Amino acid sequence: MNQTLTALEGFCVGHWTDPVGQTGCTVILGPAEGFLASASFLGPSPGNREGILLAPEKRVERVHALLFTGGSAFGLGAAEGVVRYLEERGIGYPTPAGRVPIVPAAVIFDLMAGDAKARPGPEHGYAAAREASPDPVPMGRVGAGAGAMVGKYLGYALSSPGGLGSALVEQSGVRVGALAVVNPVGDVYDLEGRVRAGPGRFREYRPVDLYGQSTTLVAVGLEVTLSKSEARMLADAAQAALARVIRPSHTPVDGDSVFVLSTTCRPATDLLLLTALVQEAVAWAIVKAVA
């Protein structure tokens, strides 16, 4: 039984992984008309492409794919491959000159995990898009999570492997999925408060230079009809779920980024219920990334 993001109608996920270089990328594809989307960015170190388009006041409401990638800022080039994949299939925002695919992307810093010169590029983004399917999402050290690390506040030598996780929750006929790439400076705890990844010794922390080397990337998947402003509100609410299972979270050296994507193929529903389900799905996805 599929208990991951791709259980939702219209969602497909594909990975490209370099197990030697310890990096990779992950693509989320949806219906041809795209996802209604918004996003929330916390912390001073987010790395992203076209994130500004997702602000509620901006004109573009739908995106045609979402890319999560390793390689730090270098890895953003993988989005070009996803754009090419979609263009070849006639998918994109209609303009007089043809359809233009809208593909936001977000990165993690994984250059310390393996080969710092191993970075996802356009051909790897294309490959991940080509592999996208509605099958259960492979988890762990795959795709954008291949080089993720957890608990770096005592240095990389004492950190633990991070990874990619996905979860699905349901209540009253409403389903919410989440996919998380977990690369925070803090430790990951399970929902019972037990350390699952990282040294679990933050009381021993002494200031070191970790600027720009940590982040958690989250995609929240919905099926319900909602506005772009409501999607942004849910993205903000999802950020709170990080603090439930990542400690410390939203630090000065993290760039936590949450994207909300909805196919809008089902009727609108209660926003309070949605908020609760979003936070539960995100927390589970983070824990499953390091299980």
Side-chain angles (χ1 to χ4, degrees), residues 71-279:
S72 192
F74 302 107
L76 288 172
E80 297 175 18
V82 184
V83 169
R84 177 164 60 88
Y85 177 87
L86 294 170
E87 182 186 26
E88 291 174 355
R89 288 152 182 79
I91 296 172
Y93 183 81
T95 77
R99 291 187 174 271
V100 179
I102 306 299
V103 182
V107 302
I108 67 166
F109 181 94
D110 58 1
L111 304 183
M112 300 290 288
D115 182 355
K117 298 296 184 181
R119 306 155 185 168
E123 67 275 24
H124 307 125
Y126 188 99
R130 187 180 58 219
E131 294 299 316
S133 83
D135 296 337
V137 178
M139 292 183 277
R141 303 285 284 176
V142 297
M149 304 298 290
V150 172
K152 290 166 277 193
Y153 52 85
L154 295 181
Y156 280 90
L158 295 177
S159 63
S160 301
L164 182 147
S166 186
L168 180 80
V169 298
E170 181 174 0
Q171 183 175 331
S172 303
V174 178
R175 301 191 298 175
V176 174
L179 182 151
V181 178
V182 181
N183 186 54
V185 74
D187 299 309
V188 173
Y189 289 72
D190 64 21
L191 276 67
E192 286 72 46
R194 296 170 297 205
V195 177
R196 296 299 298 270
R201 293 156 48 189
F202 191 74
R203 291 184 182 275
E204 300 175 25
Y205 168 72
R206 296 294 182 270
V208 293
D209 182 10
L210 294 168
Y211 179 76
Q213 299 176 29
S214 300
T215 192
T216 298
L217 309 178
V218 175
V220 173
L222 306 174
E223 299 167 311
V224 298
T225 298
L226 74 169
S227 69
K228 194 177 181 185
S229 293
E230 290 169 337
R232 169 58 185 273
M233 181 207 71
L234 291 172
D236 288 338
Q239 293 274 16
L242 272 65
R244 184 178 177 189
V245 290
I246 298 175
R247 306 174 196 170
S249 61
H250 302 140
T251 75
V253 298
D254 283 288
D256 301 320
S257 304
V258 176
F259 299 79
V260 170
L261 310 171
S262 183
T263 57
T264 66
C265 62
R266 296 192 178 189
T269 193
D270 181 74
L271 283 174
L272 177 57
L273 174 61
L274 269 184
T275 300
L277 292 178
V278 163
Q279 293 180 337

